[in-house]
């Protein structure tokens, strides 16, 4: 199966599972579920859950065993986008080609829908009948660390602190490894834990994730400059409006692209120690660096 067909099939099954995990409910607070569904079912590349499923499959798991934890990761990712778009953070009016959640609903509903997606993600992992108790604890610990103060939230705090302040390449790398890379790495390690990878294989997966997570962010910076409208549905990136340093502003376009390609190669080299068929993971890594949106 070619990688485009693989993505197409996985996106369909991830979206069906997300839909079933958060159905519309007739309750006195039904707007919570409507708001969560508005953002969660608004499209998106579904890269993180696909990485979880593809990694679990690499180690011989059936995709159905990985689908709910994969959706939990997508919930955390979507919560981060909802909160990142708020006026108190990046103040973005559009996301995934539609008005941001706080524009379509109220600001309070957007905060609460993000909080709900964050907390519900942990419930989804905790009650997954396919996982052992040890797997659940390992997944929950990893997710809490990589989306929390050792990962994404730490990155967001450093990112906000760096607004209007030029940072050097080392500091920018540190921010992006936390803000963007940590959840991508967790997505891949999730698949390893579900597929019962050895500690050595988990280490290789983490190194692969760290490299392609940073490469993904560098390409995000490149696309902000080369095709902002296609990428975000708006002409100017909030990183530019908020005067944030980016890989392109620090290195220039061509060197930023080269840095992403070098990270791709380094990431692929970490997969060499894994004695399973890693061709799907390699194809996803290529696609993520060579994307145009
Ligand atoms: C608010 C706690 C908190 C964290 C926010 C990840 C993040 C931290 C903010 C997102 C802002 C942003 C544009 C980051 C750059 C890289 C990135 C994560 C892009 C969005 O991910 P994609 O391209 O989005 O996978 P889709 O919509 O395709 O899922």
């Amino acid at each position: 199966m070619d990688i485009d067909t693989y993505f197409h099939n996985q996106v369909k099954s991830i979206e069906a599972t997300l839909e079933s995990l958060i159905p519309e409910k007739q309750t006195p607070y039904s707007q919570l579920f409507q708001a969560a569904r508005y953002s969660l079912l608004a499209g998106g590349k579904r890269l993180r859950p696909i990485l979880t499923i593809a990694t679990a499959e690499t180690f011989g798991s059936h995709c159905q065993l990985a689908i709910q934890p994969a959706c939990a990761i997508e919930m955390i990712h979507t919560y981060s986008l909802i909160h990142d778009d708020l006026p108190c953070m990046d103040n973005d009016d559009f996301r995934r080609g539609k008005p941001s959640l706080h524009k379509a609903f109220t600001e309070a509903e957007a905060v609460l829908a993000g909080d709900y997606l964050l907390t519900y993600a942990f419930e989804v992992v905790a009650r997954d009948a396919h996982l052992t108790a040890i797997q659940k604890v390992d997944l929950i610990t990893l997710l809490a660390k990589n989306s929390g103060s050792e990962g994404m939230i730490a990155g967001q705090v450093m990112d906000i602190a760096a607004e209007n302040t030029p940072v050097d390449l080392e500091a920018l790398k540190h921010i992006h490894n936390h803000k963007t890379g940590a959840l991508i790495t967790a997505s891949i390690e999730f698949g390893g834990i579900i597929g019962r990878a050895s500690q050595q294989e988990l280490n290789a997966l983490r190194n692969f994730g760290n490299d392609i997570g940073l490469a993904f962010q560098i390409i995000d910076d490149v696309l902000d400059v080369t095709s902002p409208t296609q990428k975000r549905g708006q002409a100017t990136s909030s990183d530019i409006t908020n005067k944030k340093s980016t890989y392109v502003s620090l290195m220039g376009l061509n060197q930023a692209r080269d840095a992403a390609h070098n990270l791709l190669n380094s990431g692929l080299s970490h997969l060499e120690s894994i004695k399973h068929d890693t061709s799907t993971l390699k194809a996803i890594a290529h696609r993520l660096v060579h994307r145009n949106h």
Side-chain angles (χ1 to χ4, degrees):
M1 191 192 306
D2 70 71
I3 195 66
D4 287 342
T5 311
Y6 183 81
F7 258 76
H8 178 80
N9 293 345
Q10 293 298 350
V11 166
K12 263 182 31 191
S13 105
I14 288 160
E15 292 187 345
T17 307
L18 289 172
E19 170 101 44
S20 72
L21 284 168
I22 305 189
E24 296 202 59
K25 289 183 193 167
Q26 292 309 321
T27 69
Y29 49 94
S30 52
Q31 67 270 39
L32 175 64
F33 305 107
Q34 286 161 7
R37 287 168 61 90
Y38 176 90
S39 290
L40 196 59
L41 304 175
K45 291 181 284 301
R46 313 302 189 191
L47 169 72
R48 296 155 191 80
I50 290 175
L51 279 168
T52 300
I53 293 167
T55 309
E57 287 176 334
T58 299
F59 291 90
S61 275
H62 191 276
C63 60
Q64 283 309 316
L65 297 184
I67 188 106
Q68 299 217 2
C71 286
I73 297 252
E74 185 68 11
M75 286 176 198
I76 301 257
H77 169 57
T78 304
Y79 122 73
S80 81
L81 300 178
I82 294 169
H83 282 192
D84 189 60
D85 290 338
L86 288 168
C88 62
M89 296 215 196
D90 266 5
N91 196 17
D92 273 316
D93 292 351
F94 290 92
R95 172 66 64 182
R96 292 177 165 169
K98 298 205 304 188
S100 309
L101 190 58
H102 65 274
K103 289 281 168 187
F105 288 70
T106 66
E107 217 174 296
E109 283 167 339
V111 171
L112 292 167
D115 291 343
Y116 164 57
L117 288 169
L118 166 62
T119 48
Y120 186 51
F122 286 94
E123 181 184 332
V124 167
V125 177
R127 71 172 195 208
D128 187 339
H130 301 108
L131 302 169
T132 66
I134 290 177
Q135 281 176 314
K136 287 179 192 179
V137 172
D138 286 348
L139 293 175
I140 288 170
T141 307
L142 174 66
L143 191 55
K145 280 187 175 177
N146 284 37
S147 65
S149 67
E150 290 182 30
M152 189 174 71
I153 292 181
Q156 182 75 347
V157 170
M158 292 188 282
D159 191 47
I160 290 171
E163 265 173 34
N164 298 313
T165 317
V167 294
D168 65 19
L169 210 50
E170 225 17 67
L172 187 66
K173 184 175 161 191
H174 191 67
I175 292 171
H176 287 324
N177 278 336
H178 287 77
K179 181 179 159 181
T180 309
L183 194 62
I184 290 180
T185 303
S187 311
I188 295 164
E189 283 190 72
F190 252 45
I193 292 169
I194 295 162
R196 297 167 192 270
S198 68
Q199 192 53 54
Q200 197 193 353
E201 288 165 333
L202 285 173
N203 292 343
L205 290 174
R206 185 173 313 125
N207 291 332
F208 168 63
N210 288 340
D211 283 340
I212 66 162
L214 188 56
F216 178 82
Q217 177 61 57
I218 296 175
I219 295 301
D220 199 72
D221 287 353
V222 167
L223 293 173
D224 269 342
V225 175
T226 57
S227 49
T229 311
Q230 185 176 7
K231 180 172 162 263
R232 300 190 185 281
Q234 62 191 63
T236 309
S237 144
S238 54
D239 284 0
I240 294 168
T241 318
N242 294 336
K243 297 197 175 64
K244 286 183 187 169
S245 299
T246 70
Y247 272 84
V248 175
S249 71
L250 293 183
M251 301 179 93
L253 206 48
N254 288 338
Q255 272 189 283
R257 279 200 189 101
D258 288 348
H261 291 138
N262 290 340
L263 283 162
L264 170 63
N265 290 334
S266 165
L268 296 176
S269 73
H270 291 299
L271 294 180
E272 294 309 324
S273 65
I274 294 177
K275 305 283 173 248
H276 293 269
D277 178 4
T278 54
S279 55
T280 304
L281 284 180
K282 286 179 181 157
I284 295 173
H286 271 281
R287 189 182 156 114
L288 159 168
V289 170
H290 295 286
R291 71 202 159 98
N292 60 6
H293 69 281

